[in-house]
Amino acid sequence: MECQPAKSPLAASDGGGPDCAASQMIAVQIQRNAAAKIDTFTLQLDPADLGRMDIELKFSHDGRLKAHMTVERPETLVLLQKDAAHLERVLQQNGLQTDGQSLSFDL
């Protein structure tokens, strides 16, 4: 499932398109922290009932990103796994090199 406007807790509430608000927020924070050389950080997802997420960033020798995300809620894990392809595209649009193995999720 790709993000659909207002059909899941990750969907943007303004109905302005298929972008996921949570995926966008995660991608922006990953990009900012990667640029600042911060490799471990925690996010409070919005809406708050999605819980918190710990993110660990690693870069391979060729510059490809590996991001391991640990969430506190099983429902959030399922939503993020379903939205992984969209999140990867957003990261690429923000200038990060990713591939099909760049993102991993855990509870």
Side-chain angles (χ1 to χ4, degrees):
M1 169 188 105
E2 189 144 337
C3 292
Q4 300 295 319
K7 290 188 180 178
S8 90
L10 289 179
S13 60
D14 63 4
D19 291 339
C20 287
S23 292
Q24 193 71 28
M25 178 181 72
I26 293 165
V28 166
Q29 291 302 317
I30 288 174
Q31 190 266 338
R32 284 183 183 163
N33 285 290
K37 307 284 190 230
I38 297 170
D39 60 1
T40 305
F41 56 98
T42 300
L43 291 179
Q44 172 61 54
L45 297 174
D46 185 27
D49 62 347
L50 291 174
R52 292 182 335 146
M53 164 187 282
D54 293 322
I55 301 174
E56 181 179 350
L57 303 179
K58 294 181 182 178
F59 287 89
S60 65
H61 63 281
D62 65 356
R64 292 201 181 277
L65 170 71
K66 298 282 185 188
H68 181 74
M69 296 168 240
T70 304
V71 296
E72 61 183 7
R73 299 181 188 237
E75 301 84 7
T76 305
L77 177 65
V78 170
L79 291 170
L80 288 170
Q81 287 171 328
K82 289 180 179 178
D83 195 41
H86 178 261
L87 178 55
E88 188 174 322
R89 280 193 305 277
V90 173
L91 289 169
Q92 290 169 348
Q93 291 168 356
N94 282 304
L96 295 168
Q97 294 181 25
T98 64
D99 60 31
Q101 305 300 311
S102 289
L103 307 178
S104 61
F105 304 95
D106 203 355
L107 270 177

